[in-house]
Amino acid sequence: MMIQMLKLEEQQSLGEAWCTLSELVTKPNRSLTLDLIRREESVSSTHSQHCGKLTVHAEECFSSKSTADIILRCIDLESKDLFSKSDPFLVISKLVESGISIPVCKTEVLKNDHNPTWKPVFLNIQQVGSKDSPLVIECFNFNSNGKHDLIGKVQKSLADLEKLHLGREGENLYLPTLVGHNYENKILNSKLLVDKFSETVQHTFLDYLAGGFELNFMVAIDFTASNGNPRLPDSLHYIDPSGRLNAYQKAIYEVGEVLQFYDADKRYPAWGFGARPIDGPVSHCFNLNGSSNYCEVQGIQGIMMAYTSALFNVSLAGPTLFGHVINRASVVACDSLSTGAKKYFALLIITDGVITDLQETKDALVKASDLPLSILIVGVGGADFKEMEILDADKGERLESTTGCIASRDIVQFVPFRDLQSKSSTRACLNMLVQFPK
């Protein structure tokens, strides 16, 4: 190909331009026109000249939103066990150009069943390539030693599986069998059937931005005594005279730098908890800016300044309670919802320790699960964060309140600070974090 022979160093530069992805996707038509700039040849020169414009357009691949919901079953499977029926499960793999198959999905194992029907599998169409990309569906007999027996297999695309469903026909499994020096496919009596095939479109964060939604950032900071004396270098709240950021400042900066592009007015509610303001009792939700009337600060720098100021105007105390700040954030989200505003709220909670109001926090989260609100909890320091994993219901068990109500969705994403040390990991967390209510 000619492009492979192109030597960029021998080409004449017509200009260059820069933008962030967030600048592009927040435009109503997802188009952005940039000035092309060509810098002078001299390395020491700071002069540059405008030499045209470049229009960039972003388009989200539709297949990335489409998910196939499939129920598969088999009939007349052959027995692979001597004294009992087989324990079958399916492995679905995609074929890449090199011919290698890469597993993308596996069903549960069904014990002693020659006519199994597995739970639904969900395949993102982008995950497998396209509806016409070949898939290998293999049926195995489970063995506890990990050496599973291949019962049979088929090769079909998602489009083929949809046709099987519509035609209510089964596809015979085959088994590669050694004949002489070559393998031949032995057609079996066993069949694969598709009981359900449907496609759904999952609306994405970009869809909501295009529809006029705005993301609003909020932050709550742990000021409990377990963080250590802020005046000592071993404290998580230590303000280094050299300008080196502590863990709290880094977390604010890492998350805020990503979210600020999606917040039009850049006015952020900011709270502290677990401290005793001057001449007052311990507060589990106080305005970080010191005001008794309003909680907002201007920009990421405003959060940083309010945080530093608060360290000199409160006494670290305890215990560590989340319920108050979650309820406060819920009020903000609820008020916005009641006025019909197209806003979604992301609350960042930065903490160093184990919370002491676990059930109260669950109650607050269950209540907030119907609101346009998600919560990112960042754990700093070396404490045991097992309770945070409970709040982050990634294992499928929804939170339950004291009254027995179940959360309508998982709105919490927990991440240790050490895993938040790059922009890519921060963005990955935020992608998981922002889940709009139905």
Side-chain angles (χ1 to χ4, degrees), residues 22 26 205 215-218 252-264 266 268 300 344-348 374 376 426-427 430-431 433-434:
S22 54
T26 50
F205 181 39
L215 190 64
N216 288 135
F217 179 42
M218 303 185 284
I252 294 168
Y253 180 77
E254 292 284 351
V255 178
E257 279 292 289
V258 175
L259 281 179
Q260 67 171 338
F261 293 106
Y262 306 104
D263 193 319
K266 294 181 173 51
Y268 310 129
I300 302 304
Y344 193 89
F345 297 86
L347 170 63
L348 168 65
S374 288
L376 175 63
T426 305
R427 289 187 176 92
L430 296 175
N431 287 336
L433 174 70
V434 180

PDB file of all heavy atoms in Angstrom, residues 22 26 205 215-218 252-264 266 268 300 344-348 374 376 426-427 430-431 433-434:
ATOM      1  N   SER A  22     -13.569  16.082  24.817  1.00  0.00           N
ATOM      2  CA  SER A  22     -14.754  16.633  25.469  1.00  0.00           C
ATOM      3  C   SER A  22     -15.240  17.905  24.781  1.00  0.00           C
ATOM      4  O   SER A  22     -16.438  18.166  24.710  1.00  0.00           O
ATOM      5  CB  SER A  22     -14.459  16.917  26.943  1.00  0.00           C
ATOM      6  OG  SER A  22     -13.320  17.739  27.071  1.00  0.00           O
ATOM      7  N   THR A  26     -19.202  17.708  23.186  1.00  0.00           N
ATOM      8  CA  THR A  26     -20.207  18.547  23.841  1.00  0.00           C
ATOM      9  C   THR A  26     -20.833  19.554  22.878  1.00  0.00           C
ATOM     10  O   THR A  26     -21.786  20.245  23.240  1.00  0.00           O
ATOM     11  CB  THR A  26     -19.600  19.311  25.031  1.00  0.00           C
ATOM     12  OG1 THR A  26     -18.401  19.972  24.609  1.00  0.00           O
ATOM     13  CG2 THR A  26     -19.273  18.371  26.174  1.00  0.00           C
ATOM     14  N   PHE A 205     -23.642   7.949  27.316  1.00  0.00           N
ATOM     15  CA  PHE A 205     -23.377   9.267  27.876  1.00  0.00           C
ATOM     16  C   PHE A 205     -23.418  10.337  26.786  1.00  0.00           C
ATOM     17  O   PHE A 205     -23.988  11.424  26.961  1.00  0.00           O
ATOM     18  CB  PHE A 205     -22.013   9.226  28.567  1.00  0.00           C
ATOM     19  CG  PHE A 205     -21.601  10.516  29.214  1.00  0.00           C
ATOM     20  CD1 PHE A 205     -22.514  11.314  29.876  1.00  0.00           C
ATOM     21  CD2 PHE A 205     -20.279  10.919  29.182  1.00  0.00           C
ATOM     22  CE1 PHE A 205     -22.123  12.496  30.488  1.00  0.00           C
ATOM     23  CE2 PHE A 205     -19.882  12.098  29.779  1.00  0.00           C
ATOM     24  CZ  PHE A 205     -20.807  12.884  30.432  1.00  0.00           C
ATOM     25  N   LEU A 215     -23.681  17.710  32.795  1.00  0.00           N
ATOM     26  CA  LEU A 215     -23.152  16.976  33.945  1.00  0.00           C
ATOM     27  C   LEU A 215     -22.683  17.972  34.996  1.00  0.00           C
ATOM     28  O   LEU A 215     -21.939  18.907  34.686  1.00  0.00           O
ATOM     29  CB  LEU A 215     -21.989  16.086  33.508  1.00  0.00           C
ATOM     30  CG  LEU A 215     -21.478  15.070  34.531  1.00  0.00           C
ATOM     31  CD1 LEU A 215     -22.558  14.052  34.849  1.00  0.00           C
ATOM     32  CD2 LEU A 215     -20.237  14.371  34.007  1.00  0.00           C
ATOM     33  N   ASN A 216     -23.149  17.803  36.232  1.00  0.00           N
ATOM     34  CA  ASN A 216     -22.753  18.688  37.329  1.00  0.00           C
ATOM     35  C   ASN A 216     -21.912  17.921  38.352  1.00  0.00           C
ATOM     36  O   ASN A 216     -22.300  16.843  38.808  1.00  0.00           O
ATOM     37  CB  ASN A 216     -23.974  19.279  38.010  1.00  0.00           C
ATOM     38  CG  ASN A 216     -24.678  20.320  37.145  1.00  0.00           C
ATOM     39  OD1 ASN A 216     -25.878  20.320  37.025  1.00  0.00           O
ATOM     40  ND2 ASN A 216     -23.926  21.210  36.524  1.00  0.00           N
ATOM     41  N   PHE A 217     -20.781  18.514  38.710  1.00  0.00           N
ATOM     42  CA  PHE A 217     -19.806  17.889  39.601  1.00  0.00           C
ATOM     43  C   PHE A 217     -19.994  18.397  41.020  1.00  0.00           C
ATOM     44  O   PHE A 217     -20.201  19.589  41.255  1.00  0.00           O
ATOM     45  CB  PHE A 217     -18.404  18.224  39.078  1.00  0.00           C
ATOM     46  CG  PHE A 217     -17.271  17.675  39.894  1.00  0.00           C
ATOM     47  CD1 PHE A 217     -17.311  16.380  40.396  1.00  0.00           C
ATOM     48  CD2 PHE A 217     -16.144  18.453  40.148  1.00  0.00           C
ATOM     49  CE1 PHE A 217     -16.257  15.877  41.137  1.00  0.00           C
ATOM     50  CE2 PHE A 217     -15.090  17.951  40.875  1.00  0.00           C
ATOM     51  CZ  PHE A 217     -15.144  16.658  41.378  1.00  0.00           C
ATOM     52  N   MET A 218     -19.936  17.484  42.000  1.00  0.00           N
ATOM     53  CA  MET A 218     -19.987  17.824  43.420  1.00  0.00           C
ATOM     54  C   MET A 218     -18.883  17.037  44.131  1.00  0.00           C
ATOM     55  O   MET A 218     -18.490  15.972  43.674  1.00  0.00           O
ATOM     56  CB  MET A 218     -21.353  17.466  44.029  1.00  0.00           C
ATOM     57  CG  MET A 218     -22.533  18.116  43.328  1.00  0.00           C
ATOM     58  SD  MET A 218     -24.119  17.788  44.156  1.00  0.00           S
ATOM     59  CE  MET A 218     -24.433  16.109  43.653  1.00  0.00           C
ATOM     60  N   ILE A 252      -9.027  15.243  43.712  1.00  0.00           N
ATOM     61  CA  ILE A 252      -9.872  16.351  43.238  1.00  0.00           C
ATOM     62  C   ILE A 252      -9.454  16.750  41.823  1.00  0.00           C
ATOM     63  O   ILE A 252     -10.290  16.926  40.934  1.00  0.00           O
ATOM     64  CB  ILE A 252      -9.758  17.565  44.179  1.00  0.00           C
ATOM     65  CG1 ILE A 252     -10.351  17.246  45.553  1.00  0.00           C
ATOM     66  CG2 ILE A 252     -10.451  18.790  43.572  1.00  0.00           C
ATOM     67  CD1 ILE A 252     -10.024  18.292  46.615  1.00  0.00           C
ATOM     68  N   TYR A 253      -8.159  16.866  41.622  1.00  0.00           N
ATOM     69  CA  TYR A 253      -7.641  17.313  40.341  1.00  0.00           C
ATOM     70  C   TYR A 253      -7.901  16.276  39.243  1.00  0.00           C
ATOM     71  O   TYR A 253      -8.364  16.619  38.151  1.00  0.00           O
ATOM     72  CB  TYR A 253      -6.144  17.600  40.462  1.00  0.00           C
ATOM     73  CG  TYR A 253      -5.507  18.074  39.181  1.00  0.00           C
ATOM     74  CD1 TYR A 253      -5.671  19.389  38.748  1.00  0.00           C
ATOM     75  CD2 TYR A 253      -4.751  17.206  38.400  1.00  0.00           C
ATOM     76  CE1 TYR A 253      -5.095  19.824  37.569  1.00  0.00           C
ATOM     77  CE2 TYR A 253      -4.183  17.635  37.216  1.00  0.00           C
ATOM     78  CZ  TYR A 253      -4.354  18.938  36.799  1.00  0.00           C
ATOM     79  OH  TYR A 253      -3.791  19.356  35.621  1.00  0.00           O
ATOM     80  N   GLU A 254      -7.604  15.000  39.522  1.00  0.00           N
ATOM     81  CA  GLU A 254      -7.746  13.951  38.514  1.00  0.00           C
ATOM     82  C   GLU A 254      -9.183  13.842  38.018  1.00  0.00           C
ATOM     83  O   GLU A 254      -9.448  13.788  36.813  1.00  0.00           O
ATOM     84  CB  GLU A 254      -7.295  12.601  39.081  1.00  0.00           C
ATOM     85  CG  GLU A 254      -5.810  12.480  39.365  1.00  0.00           C
ATOM     86  CD  GLU A 254      -4.985  12.301  38.104  1.00  0.00           C
ATOM     87  OE1 GLU A 254      -5.581  12.097  37.025  1.00  0.00           O
ATOM     88  OE2 GLU A 254      -3.749  12.377  38.195  1.00  0.00           O
ATOM     89  N   VAL A 255     -10.140  13.778  38.963  1.00  0.00           N
ATOM     90  CA  VAL A 255     -11.543  13.626  38.587  1.00  0.00           C
ATOM     91  C   VAL A 255     -12.096  14.940  38.040  1.00  0.00           C
ATOM     92  O   VAL A 255     -12.795  14.955  37.020  1.00  0.00           O
ATOM     93  CB  VAL A 255     -12.381  13.144  39.787  1.00  0.00           C
ATOM     94  CG1 VAL A 255     -13.856  13.033  39.404  1.00  0.00           C
ATOM     95  CG2 VAL A 255     -11.879  11.790  40.282  1.00  0.00           C
ATOM     96  N   GLY A 256     -11.776  16.032  38.700  1.00  0.00           N
ATOM     97  CA  GLY A 256     -12.291  17.328  38.278  1.00  0.00           C
ATOM     98  C   GLY A 256     -11.841  17.727  36.893  1.00  0.00           C
ATOM     99  O   GLY A 256     -12.618  18.299  36.116  1.00  0.00           O
ATOM    100  N   GLU A 257     -10.606  17.428  36.538  1.00  0.00           N
ATOM    101  CA  GLU A 257     -10.094  17.785  35.222  1.00  0.00           C
ATOM    102  C   GLU A 257     -10.879  17.101  34.111  1.00  0.00           C
ATOM    103  O   GLU A 257     -11.013  17.635  33.011  1.00  0.00           O
ATOM    104  CB  GLU A 257      -8.608  17.405  35.111  1.00  0.00           C
ATOM    105  CG  GLU A 257      -7.668  18.406  35.726  1.00  0.00           C
ATOM    106  CD  GLU A 257      -7.647  19.716  34.961  1.00  0.00           C
ATOM    107  OE1 GLU A 257      -7.113  19.748  33.839  1.00  0.00           O
ATOM    108  OE2 GLU A 257      -8.186  20.703  35.473  1.00  0.00           O
ATOM    109  N   VAL A 258     -11.388  15.903  34.370  1.00  0.00           N
ATOM    110  CA  VAL A 258     -12.184  15.191  33.373  1.00  0.00           C
ATOM    111  C   VAL A 258     -13.603  15.739  33.322  1.00  0.00           C
ATOM    112  O   VAL A 258     -14.165  15.991  32.259  1.00  0.00           O
ATOM    113  CB  VAL A 258     -12.205  13.679  33.674  1.00  0.00           C
ATOM    114  CG1 VAL A 258     -13.128  12.951  32.715  1.00  0.00           C
ATOM    115  CG2 VAL A 258     -10.798  13.100  33.580  1.00  0.00           C
ATOM    116  N   LEU A 259     -14.206  15.954  34.493  1.00  0.00           N
ATOM    117  CA  LEU A 259     -15.611  16.343  34.550  1.00  0.00           C
ATOM    118  C   LEU A 259     -15.868  17.809  34.224  1.00  0.00           C
ATOM    119  O   LEU A 259     -16.960  18.158  33.772  1.00  0.00           O
ATOM    120  CB  LEU A 259     -16.174  16.051  35.945  1.00  0.00           C
ATOM    121  CG  LEU A 259     -16.556  14.598  36.228  1.00  0.00           C
ATOM    122  CD1 LEU A 259     -17.062  14.471  37.652  1.00  0.00           C
ATOM    123  CD2 LEU A 259     -17.626  14.112  35.267  1.00  0.00           C
ATOM    124  N   GLN A 260     -14.889  18.677  34.424  1.00  0.00           N
ATOM    125  CA  GLN A 260     -15.151  20.106  34.298  1.00  0.00           C
ATOM    126  C   GLN A 260     -15.587  20.507  32.891  1.00  0.00           C
ATOM    127  O   GLN A 260     -16.336  21.470  32.709  1.00  0.00           O
ATOM    128  CB  GLN A 260     -13.914  20.904  34.701  1.00  0.00           C
ATOM    129  CG  GLN A 260     -12.716  20.756  33.771  1.00  0.00           C
ATOM    130  CD  GLN A 260     -11.614  21.740  34.114  1.00  0.00           C
ATOM    131  OE1 GLN A 260     -11.856  22.757  34.725  1.00  0.00           O
ATOM    132  NE2 GLN A 260     -10.390  21.429  33.706  1.00  0.00           N
ATOM    133  N   PHE A 261     -15.183  19.753  31.879  1.00  0.00           N
ATOM    134  CA  PHE A 261     -15.542  20.107  30.509  1.00  0.00           C
ATOM    135  C   PHE A 261     -17.033  19.938  30.240  1.00  0.00           C
ATOM    136  O   PHE A 261     -17.576  20.509  29.305  1.00  0.00           O
ATOM    137  CB  PHE A 261     -14.739  19.256  29.523  1.00  0.00           C
ATOM    138  CG  PHE A 261     -13.271  19.555  29.522  1.00  0.00           C
ATOM    139  CD1 PHE A 261     -12.370  18.669  30.100  1.00  0.00           C
ATOM    140  CD2 PHE A 261     -12.783  20.728  28.972  1.00  0.00           C
ATOM    141  CE1 PHE A 261     -11.008  18.947  30.112  1.00  0.00           C
ATOM    142  CE2 PHE A 261     -11.428  21.013  28.973  1.00  0.00           C
ATOM    143  CZ  PHE A 261     -10.539  20.129  29.543  1.00  0.00           C
ATOM    144  N   TYR A 262     -17.693  19.112  31.068  1.00  0.00           N
ATOM    145  CA  TYR A 262     -19.113  18.835  30.842  1.00  0.00           C
ATOM    146  C   TYR A 262     -20.013  19.658  31.759  1.00  0.00           C
ATOM    147  O   TYR A 262     -21.219  19.487  31.753  1.00  0.00           O
ATOM    148  CB  TYR A 262     -19.382  17.341  31.051  1.00  0.00           C
ATOM    149  CG  TYR A 262     -18.495  16.459  30.208  1.00  0.00           C
ATOM    150  CD1 TYR A 262     -17.409  15.782  30.772  1.00  0.00           C
ATOM    151  CD2 TYR A 262     -18.711  16.319  28.846  1.00  0.00           C
ATOM    152  CE1 TYR A 262     -16.584  14.980  29.995  1.00  0.00           C
ATOM    153  CE2 TYR A 262     -17.890  15.532  28.057  1.00  0.00           C
ATOM    154  CZ  TYR A 262     -16.833  14.858  28.635  1.00  0.00           C
ATOM    155  OH  TYR A 262     -16.016  14.080  27.863  1.00  0.00           O
ATOM    156  N   ASP A 263     -19.432  20.540  32.550  1.00  0.00           N
ATOM    157  CA  ASP A 263     -20.189  21.381  33.477  1.00  0.00           C
ATOM    158  C   ASP A 263     -20.077  22.821  32.989  1.00  0.00           C
ATOM    159  O   ASP A 263     -19.014  23.426  33.075  1.00  0.00           O
ATOM    160  CB  ASP A 263     -19.629  21.238  34.894  1.00  0.00           C
ATOM    161  CG  ASP A 263     -20.533  21.825  35.957  1.00  0.00           C
ATOM    162  OD1 ASP A 263     -21.086  22.916  35.708  1.00  0.00           O
ATOM    163  OD2 ASP A 263     -20.689  21.214  37.018  1.00  0.00           O
ATOM    164  N   ALA A 264     -21.186  23.363  32.475  1.00  0.00           N
ATOM    165  CA  ALA A 264     -21.139  24.648  31.784  1.00  0.00           C
ATOM    166  C   ALA A 264     -20.706  25.798  32.683  1.00  0.00           C
ATOM    167  O   ALA A 264     -19.832  26.588  32.322  1.00  0.00           O
ATOM    168  CB  ALA A 264     -22.501  24.945  31.150  1.00  0.00           C
ATOM    169  N   LYS A 266     -19.357  25.632  35.746  1.00  0.00           N
ATOM    170  CA  LYS A 266     -18.179  25.297  36.555  1.00  0.00           C
ATOM    171  C   LYS A 266     -18.294  25.807  37.992  1.00  0.00           C
ATOM    172  O   LYS A 266     -17.308  26.203  38.615  1.00  0.00           O
ATOM    173  CB  LYS A 266     -16.899  25.787  35.896  1.00  0.00           C
ATOM    174  CG  LYS A 266     -16.584  25.067  34.583  1.00  0.00           C
ATOM    175  CD  LYS A 266     -15.314  25.545  33.944  1.00  0.00           C
ATOM    176  CE  LYS A 266     -14.947  24.690  32.735  1.00  0.00           C
ATOM    177  NZ  LYS A 266     -16.033  24.498  31.767  1.00  0.00           N
ATOM    178  N   TYR A 268     -19.253  24.388  41.556  1.00  0.00           N
ATOM    179  CA  TYR A 268     -19.361  23.054  42.136  1.00  0.00           C
ATOM    180  C   TYR A 268     -19.737  23.109  43.615  1.00  0.00           C
ATOM    181  O   TYR A 268     -19.026  23.737  44.413  1.00  0.00           O
ATOM    182  CB  TYR A 268     -18.028  22.311  42.000  1.00  0.00           C
ATOM    183  CG  TYR A 268     -17.434  22.339  40.606  1.00  0.00           C
ATOM    184  CD1 TYR A 268     -16.106  22.730  40.420  1.00  0.00           C
ATOM    185  CD2 TYR A 268     -18.186  21.988  39.505  1.00  0.00           C
ATOM    186  CE1 TYR A 268     -15.543  22.749  39.154  1.00  0.00           C
ATOM    187  CE2 TYR A 268     -17.636  22.009  38.227  1.00  0.00           C
ATOM    188  CZ  TYR A 268     -16.316  22.393  38.062  1.00  0.00           C
ATOM    189  OH  TYR A 268     -15.765  22.416  36.800  1.00  0.00           O
ATOM    190  N   ILE A 300     -12.210  24.119  39.555  1.00  0.00           N
ATOM    191  CA  ILE A 300     -11.375  23.168  40.305  1.00  0.00           C
ATOM    192  C   ILE A 300     -10.458  23.916  41.259  1.00  0.00           C
ATOM    193  O   ILE A 300     -10.224  23.487  42.393  1.00  0.00           O
ATOM    194  CB  ILE A 300     -10.541  22.302  39.337  1.00  0.00           C
ATOM    195  CG1 ILE A 300     -11.456  21.546  38.359  1.00  0.00           C
ATOM    196  CG2 ILE A 300      -9.685  21.311  40.122  1.00  0.00           C
ATOM    197  CD1 ILE A 300     -12.496  20.683  39.038  1.00  0.00           C
ATOM    198  N   TYR A 344     -27.440  16.029  35.259  1.00  0.00           N
ATOM    199  CA  TYR A 344     -27.070  14.795  35.951  1.00  0.00           C
ATOM    200  C   TYR A 344     -25.915  15.133  36.886  1.00  0.00           C
ATOM    201  O   TYR A 344     -25.006  15.879  36.516  1.00  0.00           O
ATOM    202  CB  TYR A 344     -26.645  13.701  34.969  1.00  0.00           C
ATOM    203  CG  TYR A 344     -26.562  12.335  35.617  1.00  0.00           C
ATOM    204  CD1 TYR A 344     -27.665  11.505  35.657  1.00  0.00           C
ATOM    205  CD2 TYR A 344     -25.380  11.903  36.204  1.00  0.00           C
ATOM    206  CE1 TYR A 344     -27.597  10.261  36.259  1.00  0.00           C
ATOM    207  CE2 TYR A 344     -25.309  10.664  36.819  1.00  0.00           C
ATOM    208  CZ  TYR A 344     -26.422   9.846  36.842  1.00  0.00           C
ATOM    209  OH  TYR A 344     -26.359   8.614  37.460  1.00  0.00           O
ATOM    210  N   PHE A 345     -25.953  14.594  38.103  1.00  0.00           N
ATOM    211  CA  PHE A 345     -24.991  14.976  39.134  1.00  0.00           C
ATOM    212  C   PHE A 345     -24.040  13.820  39.457  1.00  0.00           C
ATOM    213  O   PHE A 345     -24.468  12.668  39.583  1.00  0.00           O
ATOM    214  CB  PHE A 345     -25.738  15.413  40.398  1.00  0.00           C
ATOM    215  CG  PHE A 345     -26.587  16.630  40.198  1.00  0.00           C
ATOM    216  CD1 PHE A 345     -27.886  16.529  39.722  1.00  0.00           C
ATOM    217  CD2 PHE A 345     -26.075  17.896  40.462  1.00  0.00           C
ATOM    218  CE1 PHE A 345     -28.669  17.651  39.522  1.00  0.00           C
ATOM    219  CE2 PHE A 345     -26.846  19.031  40.266  1.00  0.00           C
ATOM    220  CZ  PHE A 345     -28.140  18.912  39.795  1.00  0.00           C
ATOM    221  N   ALA A 346     -22.770  14.158  39.568  1.00  0.00           N
ATOM    222  CA  ALA A 346     -21.741  13.193  39.944  1.00  0.00           C
ATOM    223  C   ALA A 346     -21.071  13.679  41.222  1.00  0.00           C
ATOM    224  O   ALA A 346     -20.441  14.745  41.234  1.00  0.00           O
ATOM    225  CB  ALA A 346     -20.713  13.030  38.831  1.00  0.00           C
ATOM    226  N   LEU A 347     -21.239  12.919  42.308  1.00  0.00           N
ATOM    227  CA  LEU A 347     -20.657  13.281  43.609  1.00  0.00           C
ATOM    228  C   LEU A 347     -19.375  12.491  43.841  1.00  0.00           C
ATOM    229  O   LEU A 347     -19.386  11.254  43.810  1.00  0.00           O
ATOM    230  CB  LEU A 347     -21.661  12.983  44.726  1.00  0.00           C
ATOM    231  CG  LEU A 347     -21.130  13.077  46.166  1.00  0.00           C
ATOM    232  CD1 LEU A 347     -20.688  14.500  46.483  1.00  0.00           C
ATOM    233  CD2 LEU A 347     -22.184  12.599  47.170  1.00  0.00           C
ATOM    234  N   LEU A 348     -18.287  13.198  44.059  1.00  0.00           N
ATOM    235  CA  LEU A 348     -17.005  12.582  44.413  1.00  0.00           C
ATOM    236  C   LEU A 348     -16.849  12.630  45.928  1.00  0.00           C
ATOM    237  O   LEU A 348     -16.854  13.710  46.522  1.00  0.00           O
ATOM    238  CB  LEU A 348     -15.855  13.332  43.735  1.00  0.00           C
ATOM    239  CG  LEU A 348     -14.441  12.996  44.215  1.00  0.00           C
ATOM    240  CD1 LEU A 348     -14.084  11.557  43.885  1.00  0.00           C
ATOM    241  CD2 LEU A 348     -13.414  13.962  43.617  1.00  0.00           C
ATOM    242  N   SER A 374     -24.983   9.946  40.558  1.00  0.00           N
ATOM    243  CA  SER A 374     -24.053   8.831  40.744  1.00  0.00           C
ATOM    244  C   SER A 374     -22.933   9.283  41.675  1.00  0.00           C
ATOM    245  O   SER A 374     -22.655  10.478  41.786  1.00  0.00           O
ATOM    246  CB  SER A 374     -23.462   8.364  39.408  1.00  0.00           C
ATOM    247  OG  SER A 374     -24.429   7.695  38.634  1.00  0.00           O
ATOM    248  N   LEU A 376     -18.920   8.593  43.039  1.00  0.00           N
ATOM    249  CA  LEU A 376     -17.599   7.988  42.917  1.00  0.00           C
ATOM    250  C   LEU A 376     -16.892   8.144  44.254  1.00  0.00           C
ATOM    251  O   LEU A 376     -16.670   9.257  44.719  1.00  0.00           O
ATOM    252  CB  LEU A 376     -16.786   8.680  41.808  1.00  0.00           C
ATOM    253  CG  LEU A 376     -15.334   8.220  41.641  1.00  0.00           C
ATOM    254  CD1 LEU A 376     -15.284   6.753  41.250  1.00  0.00           C
ATOM    255  CD2 LEU A 376     -14.610   9.075  40.607  1.00  0.00           C
ATOM    256  N   THR A 426      -9.137   7.229  35.202  1.00  0.00           N
ATOM    257  CA  THR A 426     -10.170   8.131  35.702  1.00  0.00           C
ATOM    258  C   THR A 426     -11.356   8.130  34.758  1.00  0.00           C
ATOM    259  O   THR A 426     -12.509   8.033  35.175  1.00  0.00           O
ATOM    260  CB  THR A 426      -9.623   9.566  35.840  1.00  0.00           C
ATOM    261  OG1 THR A 426      -8.463   9.539  36.663  1.00  0.00           O
ATOM    262  CG2 THR A 426     -10.663  10.480  36.444  1.00  0.00           C
ATOM    263  N   ARG A 427     -11.097   8.227  33.475  1.00  0.00           N
ATOM    264  CA  ARG A 427     -12.185   8.243  32.495  1.00  0.00           C
ATOM    265  C   ARG A 427     -12.934   6.915  32.507  1.00  0.00           C
ATOM    266  O   ARG A 427     -14.153   6.870  32.349  1.00  0.00           O
ATOM    267  CB  ARG A 427     -11.642   8.533  31.098  1.00  0.00           C
ATOM    268  CG  ARG A 427     -11.180   9.977  30.945  1.00  0.00           C
ATOM    269  CD  ARG A 427     -10.805  10.294  29.503  1.00  0.00           C
ATOM    270  NE  ARG A 427     -10.455  11.699  29.361  1.00  0.00           N
ATOM    271  CZ  ARG A 427      -9.238  12.182  29.465  1.00  0.00           C
ATOM    272  NH1 ARG A 427      -8.243  11.377  29.744  1.00  0.00           N
ATOM    273  NH2 ARG A 427      -9.001  13.462  29.311  1.00  0.00           N
ATOM    274  N   LEU A 430     -15.309   6.981  35.332  1.00  0.00           N
ATOM    275  CA  LEU A 430     -16.441   7.865  35.081  1.00  0.00           C
ATOM    276  C   LEU A 430     -17.393   7.270  34.065  1.00  0.00           C
ATOM    277  O   LEU A 430     -18.602   7.475  34.127  1.00  0.00           O
ATOM    278  CB  LEU A 430     -15.943   9.230  34.623  1.00  0.00           C
ATOM    279  CG  LEU A 430     -15.122   9.979  35.664  1.00  0.00           C
ATOM    280  CD1 LEU A 430     -14.558  11.263  35.101  1.00  0.00           C
ATOM    281  CD2 LEU A 430     -15.962  10.277  36.899  1.00  0.00           C
ATOM    282  N   ASN A 431     -16.865   6.501  33.090  1.00  0.00           N
ATOM    283  CA  ASN A 431     -17.746   5.814  32.142  1.00  0.00           C
ATOM    284  C   ASN A 431     -18.656   4.837  32.865  1.00  0.00           C
ATOM    285  O   ASN A 431     -19.821   4.680  32.541  1.00  0.00           O
ATOM    286  CB  ASN A 431     -16.927   5.082  31.085  1.00  0.00           C
ATOM    287  CG  ASN A 431     -16.303   6.032  30.083  1.00  0.00           C
ATOM    288  OD1 ASN A 431     -16.795   7.133  29.900  1.00  0.00           O
ATOM    289  ND2 ASN A 431     -15.230   5.613  29.451  1.00  0.00           N
ATOM    290  N   LEU A 433     -19.406   5.104  35.989  1.00  0.00           N
ATOM    291  CA  LEU A 433     -20.150   5.861  36.989  1.00  0.00           C
ATOM    292  C   LEU A 433     -21.447   6.436  36.451  1.00  0.00           C
ATOM    293  O   LEU A 433     -22.487   6.364  37.097  1.00  0.00           O
ATOM    294  CB  LEU A 433     -19.261   6.991  37.512  1.00  0.00           C
ATOM    295  CG  LEU A 433     -19.865   8.020  38.465  1.00  0.00           C
ATOM    296  CD1 LEU A 433     -20.153   7.369  39.807  1.00  0.00           C
ATOM    297  CD2 LEU A 433     -18.921   9.195  38.637  1.00  0.00           C
ATOM    298  N   VAL A 434     -21.399   7.013  35.259  1.00  0.00           N
ATOM    299  CA  VAL A 434     -22.546   7.753  34.752  1.00  0.00           C
ATOM    300  C   VAL A 434     -23.542   6.791  34.115  1.00  0.00           C
ATOM    301  O   VAL A 434     -23.353   6.329  33.015  1.00  0.00           O
ATOM    302  CB  VAL A 434     -22.094   8.824  33.742  1.00  0.00           C
ATOM    303  CG1 VAL A 434     -23.284   9.590  33.225  1.00  0.00           C
ATOM    304  CG2 VAL A 434     -21.103   9.769  34.384  1.00  0.00           C
TER     305      VAL A 434
END
